[in-house]
Amino acid sequence: MQLYNTLSAEERAIMIDDAGKQRLTLSFYAYAQIQDPTQFRNDLFLAWNPLEVLGRIYVANEGINAQLSLPADNFYAFKDTIDTYDFMKGIRLNIAVEQDDHSFLKLTVKVRDKIVADGLVDETFDVTNIGIHLKAKEFNDLLEDPNTIVVDMRNHYESEIGHFTNAIKPDVDTFRESLPIIENQLAAHKEDKNLLMYCTGGIRCEKASAYFKHKGFDNVYQLEGGIIEYTRQVKEEGLQSKFIGKNFVFDHRLGERITDDIVSQCHQCGKSCDVHTNCLNEGCHLLFIQCEECAQIMEGCCSQDCIDVVRLPEEEQKAIRRGIKNGNKIFKKGKSDVLTFKNNLESLGTFVAVVPKVASTKEPKITKQYIGKGTHFYPKPSIGQFLIEENEIKTGDTILIIGATTGKQKLIIEEMLVNDATAEKAVAGDTCTFKLPFRIRLSDKLYKI
């Protein structure tokens, strides 16, 4: 009886591409009393694995927190599996704003002490005694009330790329840190202000609203379904989005575009940017914001030390990582001494930092022009598909395809199809396909040299 994922992410990505099925990315949560989380976990894995469900799911005595993807064809069969449990019957499923077939590449179901780590040891705390849920229009209306204080219950690296206007955004790494900070900061307003909270999908606000009611706050409200559901209702009802920027998500996309506003900056040079990335040094993997120019100069890394490591042969890199217990030192998201601009901005309050120039001993600098991104790969004919987002390409052009798995691949376009017809040129908005001697990924970027 298989109870764990047995395929690598690379193998799973190939299977997804070969299947050619559209996948849905979604999330949901439920607080409940689960007597045997381990048995519950095993039952879920056995039910979901045949349906090709992939994702990151946490279960505990207090409930379930799930972020996953599955073939669209299997949606109703999947829904049947969760409807068998009374506490999940008819549960709201938050469908992602943007879809990506590779959002998750493994099915991981883990038993945890809690589905949202809160650091609380208080037997009198009732997590089900929650605040008032608000839909998008109600949330917008309450935002306009001068007696309202709106609080972002997410972490600093989430709120820095997108947030509601006038929100308090605690500079915290974890949810458990935010609870006492907010309580102390708003202690004088337990009775005279509306405490309005939001998070990504609602799960953190659900617990936070119960916590603040437990601590004596009278008027506690939360955004039902979080930013994900808010965005869906805003589009469906034609409302003004009071949320600006991007919504951080916990899969390989690292963000969904909500509005065109860019509210953050590259952590290395200060250029307006809201694209998160992980340092390409697998022994570091720091999460930070990096613009296209810095990604090129720094070779996808956060520091010169990491550049030196990624230039080593793979076996030497593995030898360096072997036996090192990195822990939170590695995954300290968006906070590191090497993030030049961010550190200067926080300590000096000025925009003076620049990205250090890196001397490359491998190859001369290539001047390149961004064209678009990979959208699909057809394995049998070995054809890559790209969405042209900027500028144009023509047959005869030399192009560069760059990706974490793909590396840097340079070739000349000999022939191509544009919007499924043979053509000599592709411009912004077109879908372009051509033969490739290698497999591309959805995260790959297309440049013209």
Side-chain angles (χ1 to χ4, degrees), residues 94-141:
N94 287 327
I95 307 298
V97 176
E98 299 174 353
Q99 296 298 328
D100 185 334
D101 290 347
H102 290 190
S103 57
F104 293 101
L105 296 174
K106 290 185 178 182
L107 174 57
T108 305
V109 188
K110 293 186 177 180
V111 176
R112 292 284 179 88
D113 290 335
K114 296 184 179 182
I115 56 174
V116 176
D118 52 30
L120 301 176
V121 182
D122 184 349
E123 293 183 0
T124 66
F125 172 51
D126 181 5
V127 73
T128 64
N129 182 24
I130 60 175
I132 298 171
H133 283 205
L134 298 178
K135 296 189 181 299
K137 186 179 185 309
E138 298 169 318
F139 190 87
N140 279 359
D141 291 343

Side-chain angles (χ1 to χ4, degrees), residues 28 31 45 55 89 115 154 182 196 209 211 239 293 295 309 311 317 352:
F28 67 91
Y31 286 99
F45 191 96
K89 193 166 187 176
I115 56 174
R154 302 173 302 157
I182 295 169
L196 183 58
S209 70
Y211 173 80
L239 304 174
E293 289 80 0
V309 171
R311 287 177 176 173
Q317 293 185 45
V352 297

Side-chain angles (χ1 to χ4, degrees), residues 74-339:
N74 293 345
F75 176 77
Y76 289 105
F78 167 78
K79 196 169 181 304
D80 287 342
T81 67
I82 59 178
D83 281 347
T84 60
Y85 298 92
D86 289 340
F87 72 92
M88 290 195 288
K89 193 166 187 176
I91 195 172
R92 182 187 59 252
L93 302 176
N94 287 327
I95 307 298
V97 176
E98 299 174 353
Q99 296 298 328
D100 185 334
D101 290 347
H102 290 190
S103 57
F104 293 101
L105 296 174
K106 290 185 178 182
L107 174 57
T108 305
V109 188
K110 293 186 177 180
V111 176
R112 292 284 179 88
D113 290 335
K114 296 184 179 182
I115 56 174
V116 176
D118 52 30
L120 301 176
V121 182
D122 184 349
E123 293 183 0
T124 66
F125 172 51
D126 181 5
V127 73
T128 64
N129 182 24
I130 60 175
I132 298 171
H133 283 205
L134 298 178
K135 296 189 181 299
K137 186 179 185 309
E138 298 169 318
F139 190 87
N140 279 359
D141 291 343
L142 199 57
L143 277 176
E144 301 301 318
D145 189 328
N147 286 320
T148 293
I149 298 174
V150 58
V151 180
D152 194 321
M153 294 306 304
R154 302 173 302 157
N155 303 324
H156 72 89
Y157 54 90
E158 300 172 80
S159 60
E160 70 179 336
I161 62 170
H163 50 79
F164 279 95
T165 53
N166 300 320
I168 295 174
K169 304 182 291 293
D171 183 22
V172 296
D173 294 327
T174 63
F175 173 75
R176 71 176 68 191
E177 293 176 67
S178 66
L179 295 177
I181 290 175
I182 295 169
E183 182 189 357
N184 292 335
Q185 191 171 350
L186 304 181
H189 302 291
K190 290 186 176 183
E191 299 176 355
D192 65 332
K193 296 290 185 182
N194 301 315
L195 177 55
L196 183 58
M197 295 175 292
Y198 68 90
C199 58
T200 306
I203 187 170
R204 284 176 279 187
C205 288
E206 192 94 352
K207 179 171 281 190
S209 70
Y211 173 80
F212 290 119
K213 286 188 68 176
H214 180 66
K215 290 295 183 177
F217 286 80
D218 289 341
N219 307 304
V220 181
Y221 302 86
Q222 65 186 93
L223 179 58
E224 182 180 5
I227 299 163
I228 298 172
E229 176 63 13
Y230 174 87
T231 303
R232 188 193 67 78
Q233 291 179 20
V234 162
K235 290 181 178 179
E236 189 176 86
E237 300 173 25
L239 304 174
Q240 178 187 0
S241 177
K242 301 286 187 178
F243 184 95
I244 56 174
K246 290 172 75 175
N247 179 30
F248 187 94
V249 293
F250 292 87
D251 56 54
H252 89 95
R253 297 170 299 158
L254 299 178
E256 295 179 323
R257 173 68 58 196
I258 306 299
T259 70
D260 292 333
D261 304 272
I262 299 178
V263 299
S264 52
Q265 295 155 306
C266 173
H267 287 167
Q268 292 177 316
C269 75
K271 178 181 177 181
S272 182
C273 178
D274 57 9
V275 179
H276 274 107
T277 188
N278 287 109
C279 178
L280 284 183
N281 176 12
E282 292 293 338
C284 173
H285 222 241
L286 176 75
L287 178 76
F288 66 107
I289 296 175
Q290 186 179 54
C291 68
E292 288 279 350
E293 289 80 0
C294 289
Q296 179 182 352
I297 294 170
M298 301 297 291
E299 300 181 27
C301 294
C302 67
S303 66
Q304 179 62 54
D305 287 344
C306 285
I307 293 174
D308 293 341
V309 171
V310 299
R311 287 177 176 173
L312 295 172
E314 182 63 27
E315 288 306 312
E316 290 188 36
Q317 293 185 45
K318 290 180 179 178
I320 292 173
R321 297 196 297 266
R322 194 172 295 125
I324 297 177
K325 294 183 179 179
N326 295 311
N328 289 332
K329 176 173 70 72
I330 295 305
F331 295 97
K332 197 74 169 174
K333 299 177 175 66
K335 291 186 176 181
S336 171
D337 293 339
V338 303
L339 297 178

